Amino acid sequence: MKNPAEQMIATNKANLDAFEGAVNQAYAGMEKLVELNMAATKAALGESFGHLQAVLAAKDPQALMALQTSFVQPMGAKSMAYFQHVQSIATESQSELTAKLESQMAEAQKALGDSIEQITKNAPAGSEAAVAAFQSAMNNGQKAVETAQAAIKKATAAAQANFDSVTKQAADVAKKAAKAA
């Protein structure tokens, strides 16, 4: 087994690699959002110019009103589709990042446990009480981290469920408004 200094160096390197992975993951999510926004902007511009040309070609007020209604009516559904896509990108990115961080956290906790075990084996005679107190503090700290992780998971799941519910309600309202128009 490695000595404690080598273990700390290896752990720090692993943490740096994990951080780099997390940054790359976040960047990939941002790239997806930028691509979505570029596609949405391009589509909106194309539709707007097409609508403007149709408006300029309208011969009477009834045709103009029909064009306006046909242009405005699908906007609610398009907006909902856009926001659902944004939500799916955010959820996917968050899930991947969470899984990666949890894996890295488990590895870091194991490495820390191994280091502590190595240190306690090499502790000088007469330091048993201090070593026991240190181990107890580390175990309690680890349990606190695990409890916090569980609470964060639960809160994230509740927030996601609430967001899904609100999204569904908004979609239902948009459908009803489209039917009424």
Side-chain angles (χ1 to χ4, degrees):
M1 180 169 258
K2 299 177 187 176
N3 70 38
E6 288 174 347
Q7 286 179 334
M8 294 297 257
I9 291 169
T11 300
N12 286 336
K13 183 182 179 326
N15 289 340
L16 181 61
D17 290 343
F19 181 69
E20 180 183 17
V23 168
N24 288 337
Q25 186 68 42
Y27 191 79
M30 291 303 297
E31 281 180 326
K32 289 177 184 178
L33 285 174
V34 168
E35 288 172 8
L36 173 65
N37 286 333
M38 293 298 291
T41 301
K42 183 177 181 180
L45 283 173
E47 291 172 7
S48 294
F49 285 122
H51 176 71
L52 185 56
Q53 289 174 347
V55 166
L56 293 174
K59 303 289 185 206
D60 57 49
Q62 288 84 9
L64 181 62
M65 289 304 292
L67 282 170
Q68 287 298 94
T69 301
S70 68
F71 182 70
V72 172
Q73 197 171 28
M75 283 188 179
K78 288 178 184 178
S79 294
M80 287 303 303
Y82 170 79
F83 288 116
Q84 286 173 339
H85 203 100
V86 168
Q87 179 202 9
S88 75
I89 290 171
T91 301
E92 177 185 329
S93 295
Q94 184 260 338
S95 296
E96 291 173 2
L97 184 62
T98 299
K100 193 172 274 194
L101 290 176
E102 285 176 350
S103 169
Q104 291 297 324
M105 181 66 105
E107 289 176 23
Q109 286 175 337
K110 183 184 180 319
L112 180 62
D114 292 346
S115 294
I116 291 170
E117 185 179 322
Q118 187 69 22
I119 289 169
T120 57
K121 285 181 181 177
N122 297 326
S127 63
E128 292 83 14
V131 168
F134 180 71
Q135 282 181 319
S136 176
M138 292 305 297
N139 289 337
N140 289 337
Q142 202 166 24
K143 287 177 185 174
V145 167
E146 290 169 0
T147 302
Q149 286 175 333
I152 289 169
K153 273 186 177 181
K154 190 174 182 178
T156 301
Q160 184 65 43
N162 288 339
F163 187 79
D164 290 345
S165 175
V166 169
T167 301
K168 184 183 179 318
Q169 290 174 354
D172 292 345
V173 169
K175 286 178 186 176
K176 287 178 185 176
K179 287 179 183 178

